[in-house]
């Protein structure tokens, strides 16, 4: 069985990046007309489209909380997103799990007490899957929420990091993620305070390596924060020009 | 980061802030909408324009859902017929409420509400109808209470609804306009605009 070399002796990965390089990020806010807030986010070849509706009347009376808003997240993966076409059912456990991670992350960042008795809906669509699903969903959702004018304590920026050949690597793509030897850690931070909103890992990593990998991922989050901020200011300036 | 002391006509784009940006750490300022404070610093919680009125600092987001004020004229869509009230979608955080006692019953304004009126609520307004109403007050939970107790308010017929940003519709004395091309336009402050053909008032 041939073993694909994920990190060459010169320090280059399968897509030509160095160990501590992020993939190229391109993002835009306000891409949909009917949603209160929306964003299109690309990180490398992973593409995500997010629509945010809210705060609005809760769909069912049971969801309404008297003192804060309910956050509802729906995560959909397009059948054409992977190299082999595959349709996932609505109740797929993996999709529900990712949706619940995103929900928990944003419940800590959105100031839900400002919108009692209402519901904030976040609809995430993964259009192309090339690794880093959870991180791109969180980044794109942050952009869409800021675009919708929903009060947040800070941006939520997420990044993945792994460990290949004794080297911490940043932002894993699909090939690196699917390799069984590579641990894959996703961390979401609130950049201003440095507090961690989400820390998720499914594989095994030695505890002594955790700090290095975590530090690298947090560094990546800071860069992502700059990109998101730029996109927000761009959309805001465009809108201000049209309104004034 | 200090903010400008003298109120000046600055280009909007120059004062846009994003969530998590520090606005000021001067303890003399009070924080308003769109901000929160941590320790002694006031931070912005939305992406928008910083506004300062005397000692009050607030951030107005560029995009926001409609939040009602008493006296606003709005256009809403009936979403539900409940007991003695209708729930109306007004493009806000919560649906507005139109009480049966707040509408003009056919047969005269002073007509007493009867039990059969309650049972026939759907004949007045059904789900999906558009109403032109005014905000009367708030309920305890923050929902808007609407009324149509005037001849110009009521059900809207024979036209089209157009939605726009609520910020684009200013509050003014008259929200009912007739355009020279023979079109009637009703501008709801909540961003819902009703366009219909002009029907001349018959003598």
């Amino acid at each position: 069985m041939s073993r694909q070399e994920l990190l060459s002796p010169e320090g280059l990965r399968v897509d030509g990046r160095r160990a501590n390089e992020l993939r190229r990020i391109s993002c835009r806010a306000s891409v949909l007309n009917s949603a209160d807030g929306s964003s299109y986010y690309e990180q490398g070849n992973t593409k995500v489209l997010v629509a945010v509706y809210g705060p609005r009347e809760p769909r069912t009376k049971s969801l309404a909380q008297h003192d804060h808003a309910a956050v509802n997240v729906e995560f959909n993966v397009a059948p054409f997103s992977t190299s082999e076409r595959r349709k996932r059912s609505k109740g797929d456990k993996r999709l529900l799990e990712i949706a619940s991670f995103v929900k928990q992350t944003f419940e800590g960042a959105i100031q839900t007490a400002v919108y009692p008795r209402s519901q904030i809906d976040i609809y995430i669509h993964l259009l192309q899957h090339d690794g880093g699903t959870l991180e791109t969903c969180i980044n794109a959702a942050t952009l869409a929420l800021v675009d919708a004018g929903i009060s947040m304590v800070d941006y939520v920026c997420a990044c993945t990091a792994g460990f290949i050949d004794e080297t911490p690597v940043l932002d894993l793509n699909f090939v690196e993620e699917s390799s069984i030897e590579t641990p894959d850690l996703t961390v979401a931070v609130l950049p201003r305070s440095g507090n961690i909103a989400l820390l998720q890992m499914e594989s095994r990593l030695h505890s002594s390596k955790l700090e290095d990998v975590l530090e690298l991922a947090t560094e990546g989050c800071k860069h992502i924060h700059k990109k998101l901020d730029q996109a927000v200011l761009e959309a805001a300036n465009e809108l201000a020009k049209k309104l004034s | 980061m200090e903010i400008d002391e003298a109120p000046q006509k600055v280009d909007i784009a120059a004062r846009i802030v994003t969530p998590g940006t520090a606005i000021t750490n001067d303890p003399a300022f009070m924080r308003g909408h769109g901000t929160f404070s941590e320790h002694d610093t006031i931070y912005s919680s939305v992406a928008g324009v910083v506004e300062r009125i005397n000692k009050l600092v607030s951030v107005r987001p560029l995009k926001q859902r409609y939040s009602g004020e008493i006296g606003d004229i709005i256009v809403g869509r009936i979403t539900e017929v409940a007991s003695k009230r209708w729930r109306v979608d007004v493009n806000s955080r919560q649906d507005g409420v139109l009480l049966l006692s707040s509408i003009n019953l056919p047969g005269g304004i002073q007509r007493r509400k009867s039990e059969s009126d309650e049972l026939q609520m759907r004949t007045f307004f059904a789900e999906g109808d558009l109403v032109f109403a005014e905000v009367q007050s708030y309920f305890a939970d923050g929902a808007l209470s609407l009324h149509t107790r005037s001849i110009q308010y009521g059900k809207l017929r024979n036209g089209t609804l157009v939605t726009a940003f609520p910020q684009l519709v200013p509050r003014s004395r008259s929200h009912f306009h007739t355009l020279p091309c023979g079109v009637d336009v009703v501008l709801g402050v909540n961003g819902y605009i009703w366009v219909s053909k002009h029907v001349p008032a018959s003598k």
Side-chain angles (χ1 to χ4, degrees):
Chain A
M1 185 181 76
S2 68
R3 195 174 144 276
Q4 184 168 29
E5 194 182 51
L6 293 175
L7 191 64
S8 77
E10 296 87 43
L12 295 175
R13 291 148 76 174
V14 287
D15 49 8
R17 284 186 287 154
R18 299 237 161 244
N20 60 353
E21 274 178 20
L22 275 175
R23 288 177 289 178
R24 192 166 60 112
I25 294 173
S26 135
C27 50
R28 261 182 55 200
S30 289
V31 295
L32 300 173
N33 288 335
S34 56
D36 290 318
S38 57
S39 70
Y40 174 70
Y41 183 88
E42 274 182 30
Q43 190 160 340
N45 288 328
T46 305
K47 301 181 181 166
V48 176
L49 180 68
V50 176
V52 167
Y53 288 86
R56 58 178 179 179
E57 181 79 15
R59 211 54 64 71
T60 49
K61 292 284 147 56
S62 56
L63 286 174
Q65 310 277 343
H66 73 279
D67 58 350
H68 62 267
V71 177
N72 175 45
V73 177
E74 262 184 42
F75 177 54
N76 281 304
V77 176
F80 50 80
S81 60
T82 44
S83 51
E84 255 186 46
R85 189 191 163 84
R86 198 180 127 202
K87 238 192 184 162
R88 314 215 187 181
S89 69
K90 245 325 174 56
D92 190 65
K93 288 289 186 291
R94 191 94 180 92
L95 301 186
L96 292 177
E97 188 187 38
I98 293 181
S100 91
F101 283 149
V102 176
K103 178 175 138 97
Q104 280 168 20
T105 310
F106 282 105
E107 267 169 357
I110 298 175
Q111 293 193 308
T112 48
V114 177
Y115 310 109
R117 289 174 206 283
S118 56
Q119 184 181 338
I120 296 172
D121 289 309
I122 305 174
Y123 300 113
I124 307 174
H125 293 266
L126 182 66
L127 302 174
Q128 196 165 291
H129 180 40
D130 188 35
T133 317
L134 189 53
E135 76 170 314
T136 43
C137 288
I138 291 177
N139 293 330
T142 300
L143 193 53
L145 284 166
V146 173
D147 183 48
I150 293 178
S151 275
M152 300 223 289
V153 170
D154 198 355
Y155 284 79
V156 184
C157 303
C159 199
T160 53
F163 209 75
I164 304 173
D165 288 345
E166 307 300 314
T167 321
V169 290
L170 185 63
D171 199 4
L172 306 174
N173 59 22
F174 187 70
V175 174
E176 292 161 343
E177 248 179 32
S178 38
S179 149
I180 31 172
E181 306 150 345
T182 314
D184 168 22
L185 177 88
T186 305
V187 65
V189 298
L190 279 68
R192 185 177 49 84
S193 51
N195 291 337
I196 293 180
L198 171 97
L199 187 61
Q200 189 240 4
M201 185 165 75
E202 280 174 359
S203 35
R204 279 203 303 217
L205 178 68
H206 199 277
S207 53
S208 58
K209 317 272 196 298
L210 179 63
E211 212 182 299
D212 291 332
V213 175
L214 193 55
E215 205 184 292
L216 185 61
T218 316
E219 269 299 310
C221 288
K222 292 209 182 82
H223 283 275
I224 292 177
H225 171 55
K226 285 203 197 87
K227 281 278 179 179
L228 291 180
D229 208 29
Q230 237 175 7
V232 165
L233 283 172
E234 230 177 80
N237 282 327
E238 226 182 274
L239 192 58
K241 239 191 320 181
K242 289 183 187 165
L243 287 178
S244 61
Chain B
M1 200 205 301
E2 299 299 326
I3 55 174
D4 303 5
E5 287 311 312
Q8 56 209 164
K9 273 272 174 226
V10 183
D11 179 24
I12 279 181
R15 301 173 77 200
I16 290 181
V17 290
T18 54
T21 317
I23 301 176
T24 178
N25 50 16
D26 192 339
F29 288 104
M30 287 189 302
R31 58 172 200 83
H33 290 300
T35 61
F36 66 97
S37 68
E38 226 170 73
H39 308 124
D40 276 326
T41 319
I42 297 180
Y43 294 95
S44 164
S45 65
V46 289
V49 181
V50 178
E51 286 178 334
R52 182 177 76 89
I53 301 171
N54 296 332
K55 290 249 176 262
L56 181 69
V57 174
S58 63
V59 181
R60 183 172 49 90
L62 291 165
K63 253 203 233 183
Q64 205 183 25
R65 283 225 154 198
Y66 169 67
S67 56
E69 308 268 333
I70 295 181
D72 277 349
I73 315 260
I74 57 175
V75 173
R77 197 183 279 278
I78 308 281
T79 56
E80 188 193 326
V81 180
S83 106
K84 290 202 234 197
R85 66 187 63 189
W86 290 272
R87 292 212 162 270
V88 185
D89 164 36
V90 293
N91 199 23
S92 174
R93 203 183 78 220
Q94 279 177 276
D95 281 349
V97 175
L98 180 61
L99 295 172
L100 179 57
S101 50
S102 305
I103 68 165
N104 273 348
L105 298 161
I109 295 174
Q110 299 302 327
R111 185 163 77 94
R112 193 179 267 270
K113 192 162 48 74
S114 66
E115 241 181 56
S116 65
D117 284 333
E118 231 180 282
L119 299 168
Q120 292 177 51
M121 280 178 71
R122 255 192 199 84
T123 58
F124 304 134
F125 297 115
E127 285 94 339
D129 282 346
L130 280 168
V131 288
F132 183 36
E134 188 182 329
V135 178
Q136 186 174 39
S137 63
Y138 299 112
F139 279 92
D141 60 1
L144 298 174
S145 175
L146 309 171
H147 77 90
T148 56
R149 280 201 168 282
S150 180
I151 195 68
Q152 75 243 35
Y153 302 140
K155 184 150 55 171
L156 294 168
R157 293 182 171 86
N158 300 327
T160 319
L161 181 75
V162 176
T163 50
F165 285 149
Q167 294 92 298
L168 292 174
V169 184
R171 293 184 170 98
S172 70
R173 276 179 21 148
S174 166
H175 286 260
F176 194 96
H177 303 274
T178 305
L179 301 179
C181 46
V183 168
D184 276 344
V185 171
V186 175
L187 298 172
V189 182
N190 58 341
Y192 285 176
I193 298 168
W194 176 255
V195 179
S196 60
K197 182 175 157 190
H198 176 65
V199 174
S202 49
K203 285 285 178 217

